[in-house]
Amino acid sequence: MDLKNDEEIIKTIRKVTDKPIRVDANEGWKTKEVALEKIKWLQDEGVEFVEQPMPADDLDSVAWVRDKVDIPIIADENCIRLYDVPILGKAYDGINIKLMKCTGIREAIKMINTARAMKMKVMLGCMIESSVGITAGAQISPLVDFADLDGNLLITNDPFEGVKVKNGKLILPDEPGLGVKKLI
């Protein structure tokens, strides 16, 4: 989120809803001063958390910003495997785990347990992927604080059917294993 009109976008959203907003900056703010200014403004607008505000390799700047804001900062691009979690705890309040990055459910559970031991928030995210990956993530979603599992909704050629979303809730299939059915 580093658009010329990002404040206008948030203000427009706030005109129609007071529902929680979560912002993924995707490493968009290149200096700690800009990140601090943007996050302070976002927290005043009721944003729940900010994901990856700065470049993944700039942990010192993220830690500097985190000490000056009142909303959680969540790591994404630099959260890939279990060995990343202890390092990220020095700069972030939480992590975003993606099964397609971390190698799967077993590694994700280890990452969740490590983050919990460090008193970190845990988010489960995804890539643009089929219902197989999203349904796998949904299986462990009760273990996390936030689940952003919509990658299958962003494709038109999903050859599988799995987890459904009803009224904002993930509804797991009843079939064995992941419960995914092949459609094609």
Side-chain angles (χ1 to χ4, degrees):
M1 181 173 185
D2 194 21
L3 306 171
K4 299 286 184 224
N5 66 336
D6 54 5
E7 289 188 16
E8 178 185 345
I9 291 168
I10 297 292
K11 286 180 180 182
T12 301
I13 292 168
R14 281 292 174 234
K15 285 180 185 175
V16 297
T17 185
D18 62 352
K19 291 189 180 208
I21 298 174
R22 300 164 183 164
V23 171
D24 184 353
N26 282 319
E27 302 180 276
W29 304 321
K30 304 305 180 197
T31 70
K32 61 188 180 185
E33 293 81 12
V34 168
L36 178 63
E37 176 186 330
K38 298 274 189 180
I39 294 171
K40 283 195 170 274
W41 182 81
L42 289 168
Q43 75 187 25
D44 290 344
E45 292 298 316
V47 168
E48 191 172 12
F49 66 75
V50 174
E51 188 179 339
Q52 202 67 49
M54 301 188 64
D57 62 355
D58 196 356
L59 291 178
D60 290 339
S61 291
V62 175
W64 181 88
V65 171
R66 182 181 71 176
D67 289 343
K68 295 169 176 39
V69 298
D70 296 322
I71 59 174
I73 299 178
I74 309 293
D76 183 4
E77 278 76 11
N78 50 357
C79 183
I80 299 170
R81 298 292 302 272
L82 174 61
Y83 51 75
D84 295 319
V85 179
I87 297 163
L88 296 173
K90 298 172 187 170
Y92 291 91
D93 301 295
I95 59 170
N96 183 357
I97 301 168
K98 295 180 179 166
L99 293 185
M100 297 301 131
K101 285 184 182 181
C102 78
T103 72
I105 292 173
R106 182 178 297 174
E107 181 86 352
I109 290 173
K110 291 177 186 176
M111 293 171 76
I112 291 167
N113 291 335
T114 301
R116 293 288 187 221
M118 297 174 65
K119 308 258 188 280
M120 295 177 82
K121 301 254 183 225
V122 180
M123 177 177 176
L124 192 58
C126 63
M127 314 293 270
I128 296 175
E129 56 199 64
S130 77
S131 291
V132 172
I134 301 304
T135 304
Q139 301 291 326
I140 62 170
S141 65
L143 302 175
V144 304
D145 301 297
F146 311 102
D148 181 13
L149 298 173
D150 61 356
N152 62 324
L153 303 176
L154 304 173
I155 60 174
T156 58
N157 61 345
D158 189 349
F160 303 98
E161 181 179 277
V163 68
K164 303 276 189 217
V165 179
K166 286 191 178 180
N167 299 320
K169 295 184 189 257
L170 298 169
I171 309 299
L172 293 169
D174 290 330
E175 288 75 19
L178 291 180
V180 176
K181 294 181 195 174
K182 187 170 183 176
L183 297 175
I184 299 171

